[in-house]
Amino acid sequence: MYDAIVIGSGIGALTTAGLLAGVAGARVLVLEKHSTPGGLTHSFRRMGASWDVGLHYVGDMHPGSRPRQLFEYLTGGALTWNRMPSGYDRFILPGHGLTVTIPSSFKEYQHLLISLFPHEKRAIQRYCRDVKRAYSWMSLRYMADMVPPQASPAIHLALRLRTGCALEHTEHYMERRFRDPALRALLTTHWGDYGVEPTRSAFVAHAMIVCHYMDGAWFPRGGSGQIARMIEERIRATGGEIRLCQDVDDILIDNGRAVGVRVSDRSGPTPVSYEERAPIVISGVGARETYTRLLPTTGPVGALTARVRDRIARLGHGGSAVTVYLTLDHYPAGVDGSNIWVNTSQGPDNLEQMTEDLCRGRPQSAFISFPGIKAGDRHATVEIVSFAQPQAFDRWLGTRPGMRGEDYERLTSAMARGLIGLADTAIPGLTDAVRSVEVATPLTIEHFTSHEGGCFYGLPLTPERFAADLVSPSTPIDGLYLTGQDAGMPGIVGAAMAGMSTACKVLGPAGYPRIMRALRDQVPTQDHASSSHDTTTERTAGAARHRATVQRARWMSPTTRDITLELPECATWEAGQYALVRVAPFEWRPYSLASAPGRTVRLLVDVRTKGMGASWASTTAPGDDVDLELPYGHWLVTPDRGTTDAEAPHRRIFIATGTGIAPFLAAFEAGRRDDDILIVGCSRTEDDLTGRVDTPLPRLIQCVSREAAPGTFHGRITDYLNAEGIDPQATYYVCGSARIVRDILRIIQAGGARVSYETF
């Protein structure tokens, strides 16, 4: 039995779990629905390039600051921060004729504003004082949840006396203080950092962001995706673990107290339901989701939480966003890693109008970030973010990424073109440098994070949220706590500090001093690589972690490495599943399992990505030890599939490009049928891997697009399928790059056949 169960693996959840493990030696189970830990600190990759989905920059991370101490403790000092340029934010407001770079000093910031708007000098000075007071007020709010109970009344009294303008609407404050509309626009353009437009946001939310960055901005070296794996080391050191692909369905209540969770293990082809029990349950998936989805809304529990649910319903929703992820051939001149905010509007931001314009391909505003530069990555990458109302995407609710139809693709293409064009006005030459484009909408965010409507900042930071006392880890249910941004403030540091508040609550009156001593003394409780010395971690659900040994590593082609690993014991998996492999101290990569179950694991790795996985695959040699978790995943199935494989006696047709043949090799080892067909596509015959595998293959059809070769079809796989037609009685399996799989699926579905697919 675990000492605590944490739902979600966002930074707030991991902070709470890491502190409970490190400070109290607690055995903590973290349950994450996604196949990657980290929540909005996770990153995703395409051909070696990576993008950070939620962390774009972090303030208040100078050496010695409380957030810096906290992250150093949680990661055992493994996390390194790169300082961004001194002018970390550049605001471009064409409608007001302004281009302003924000300095990394509050004093310089005040001088800059006065130099630009000398007629507003006294109002600017007052504004700077008000911002600091509101920041101090929110800091006291955090303290009220951390300190022992006997100190809390004094803090709450100070809060009442020092509220000031903290709970005033941001726009109301700006209109009351400043006459110049250009100054008001400049001061509020970055409201996307807290997710609520000035007409609705509380001034304290604005103030927290302003002060947060007034000593500059930082970014984690190597990107944000490694943070969760670093904190995992501390959690595992005391017997805890992070389980991936675990959907928490319910929080279990017994006699009015939280006693555990009911979970659907989705790490394999078929969901498996099970229960885990613990005396403490901590939810990091958001207040709305916790009270309305994980807890009963009727009966005794519903009665206990009715007041909170009513307050949450009255708040409405916060903002969501559309993000365009770009890979570039090169960075245009002038790009140095600073963020760029572009806002073409001349009046107050209206989210409804912004959303309508964005969907028409004429966005008003955008935030532009360069994760490759900030992380120190070799790939040139860009993120363009524009806020939007999630209701604009309601017609596709319930659909799966990649399967939303041509209307959705036309919409995302129009938004992408519009945002790239707007960014190009601030960064001339950007459009010409674009090599690849990917778009995420509020539906994408909801799919991966479970935040309703893709509202990734949680409950909106309106005055009503603070007045309703909805900024706390406490809940009406004994043994149940909240963590993350809904227990404090949004953003990486805001959620982490809320995670610290939750840990203080869980540990009781002595929690705060115990955590403070731990942060001050920074005594490591584990070796960074401690978990790499484990052989197999015993689990009741999900994938297992193994320490394997490289048996064979050979080049199948100049760009493909064939690696065979030996496990310490037999394992089971199915064709279409994959393993997570540790390719660097805190970096894991997914690779399809290319062999039948047993003690031997075969992987085919394309090294053209030039990323960490490619580096590991290129250099690993027989005798090396490798950490891996398996099995994960399953074949994805298109919505119109009518029967299972067991029910379908029809022939199987496998379609692959490149290392996409890997899961098919596992299928052929497990049981090849006489009427199976394998269709492979490649640019040239030298790129075809089928002649170099030692697995018996079925009837083979080779599609070669860039040369005419005897015995092959000259053209792409899509050309072959269009020419030969689709067998509606067959079951098709498709594996390859996302773009190729999408094109092939359209043809097969139009032909009325069943399709199972996977992308890499």
Side-chain angles (χ1 to χ4, degrees), residues 567-578:
L567 300 174
E569 61 185 19
C570 286
T572 61
W573 60 83
E574 296 185 19
Q577 293 196 276
Y578 66 89

Side-chain angles (χ1 to χ4, degrees), residues 252-280:
L252 303 176
I253 306 295
D254 188 6
N255 292 323
R257 180 179 181 85
V259 295
V261 293
R262 183 178 293 108
V263 189
S264 291
D265 175 7
R266 300 186 185 277
S267 60
T270 305
V272 178
S273 181
Y274 68 97
E275 292 183 1
E276 286 284 359
R277 301 214 167 217
I280 298 294

Side-chain angles (χ1 to χ4, degrees), residues 298-639:
T298 59
V301 175
L304 277 174
T305 62
R307 187 180 179 191
V308 178
R309 284 186 287 110
D310 180 65
R311 289 175 174 179
I312 290 173
R314 290 172 183 269
L315 289 180
H317 289 76
S320 190
V322 170
T323 304
V324 176
Y325 300 99
L326 304 178
T327 307
L328 307 182
D329 288 324
H330 63 278
Y331 287 113
V335 173
D336 62 358
S338 300
N339 304 315
I340 299 173
W341 298 81
V342 183
N343 189 349
T344 61
S345 174
Q346 296 188 39
D349 289 320
N350 181 312
L351 190 55
E352 182 176 354
Q353 186 62 51
M354 289 172 62
T355 304
E356 184 178 333
D357 290 343
L358 174 62
C359 291
R360 291 178 175 176
R362 300 193 299 269
Q364 297 179 13
S365 62
F367 167 79
I368 309 161
S369 176
F370 307 93
I373 294 179
K374 291 184 288 189
D377 188 11
R378 73 178 71 186
H379 296 276
T381 52
V382 181
E383 296 158 345
I384 309 174
V385 185
S386 189
F387 280 78
Q389 292 178 316
Q391 298 92 313
F393 305 88
D394 280 352
R395 61 181 293 193
W396 295 283
L397 285 174
T399 59
R400 196 166 58 207
M403 301 296 296
R404 295 191 170 121
E406 294 185 7
D407 286 351
Y408 181 82
E409 291 186 18
R410 280 194 293 269
L411 173 62
T412 55
S413 295
M415 293 189 296
R417 287 193 300 271
L419 286 170
I420 293 170
L422 180 60
D424 193 88
T425 64
I427 313 163
L430 176 69
T431 302
D432 293 337
V434 173
R435 191 173 72 209
S436 69
V437 180
E438 190 159 344
V439 182
T441 70
L443 298 173
T444 317
I445 300 165
E446 181 171 0
H447 175 82
F448 288 109
T449 70
S450 293
H451 286 298
E452 186 178 325
C455 299
F456 50 86
Y457 278 131
L459 299 179
L461 291 173
T462 61
E464 293 76 19
R465 173 179 169 181
F466 295 94
D469 199 23
L470 289 173
V471 189
S472 172
S474 300
T475 76
I477 308 295
D478 289 341
L480 174 64
Y481 300 86
L482 298 181
T483 188
Q485 56 194 6
D486 280 355
M489 292 287 283
I492 301 303
V493 170
M497 295 305 292
M500 180 174 161
S501 297
T502 304
C504 289
K505 284 284 189 185
V506 173
L507 294 176
Y512 181 70
R514 289 177 69 183
I515 290 174
M516 288 302 98
R517 282 195 299 271
L519 298 189
R520 183 186 66 241
D521 297 340
Q522 291 282 319
V523 177
T525 59
Q526 84 290 329
D527 175 16
H528 290 166
S530 62
S531 65
S532 66
H533 299 297
D534 298 339
T535 53
T536 301
T537 300
E538 190 174 321
R539 292 189 176 204
T540 59
R545 181 172 294 190
H546 304 271
R547 156 76 38 121
T549 304
V550 177
Q551 271 189 341
R552 182 181 75 168
R554 69 184 180 99
W555 290 100
M556 288 186 73
S557 74
T559 60
T560 304
R561 189 82 156 159
D562 183 0
I563 300 169
T564 302
L565 310 172
E566 183 178 8
L567 300 174
E569 61 185 19
C570 286
T572 61
W573 60 83
E574 296 185 19
Q577 293 196 276
Y578 66 89
L580 284 175
V581 180
R582 190 199 298 260
V583 300
F586 303 105
E587 298 284 351
W588 296 70
R589 299 292 184 268
Y591 297 113
S592 292
L593 294 161
S595 52
R599 288 190 61 183
T600 301
V601 174
R602 185 182 188 186
L603 310 173
L604 304 183
V605 183
D606 187 335
V607 302
R608 288 175 297 177
T609 62
K610 300 180 181 179
M612 289 186 182
S615 177
W616 166 78
S618 298
T619 58
T620 195
D624 289 351
D625 289 330
V626 181
D627 293 318
L628 71 161
E629 291 182 357
L630 61 82
Y632 286 110
H634 53 87
W635 288 111
L636 300 172
V637 182
T638 54

Side-chain angles (χ1 to χ4, degrees), residues 21 35 66 110 114 121 153 230 234 246 250-251 259 280 289 315 335 411 414 416 427 446 453 511 526 557 573 677 752:
S35 57
R66 179 62 48 78
Q110 180 174 322
I114 292 173
K121 178 178 179 179
M230 291 176 174
R234 186 170 287 280
Q246 307 295 301
D250 304 287
I251 296 172
V259 295
I280 298 294
E289 288 73 15
L315 289 180
V335 173
L411 173 62
I427 313 163
E446 181 171 0
Q526 84 290 329
S557 74
W573 60 83
I677 297 176

Side-chain angles (χ1 to χ4, degrees), residues 29-46:
L29 171 63
V30 179
L31 298 169
E32 169 57 48
K33 71 166 287 188
H34 193 13
S35 57
T36 302
L40 288 170
T41 65
H42 90 270
S43 58
F44 75 94
R45 296 170 181 82
R46 297 287 186 266

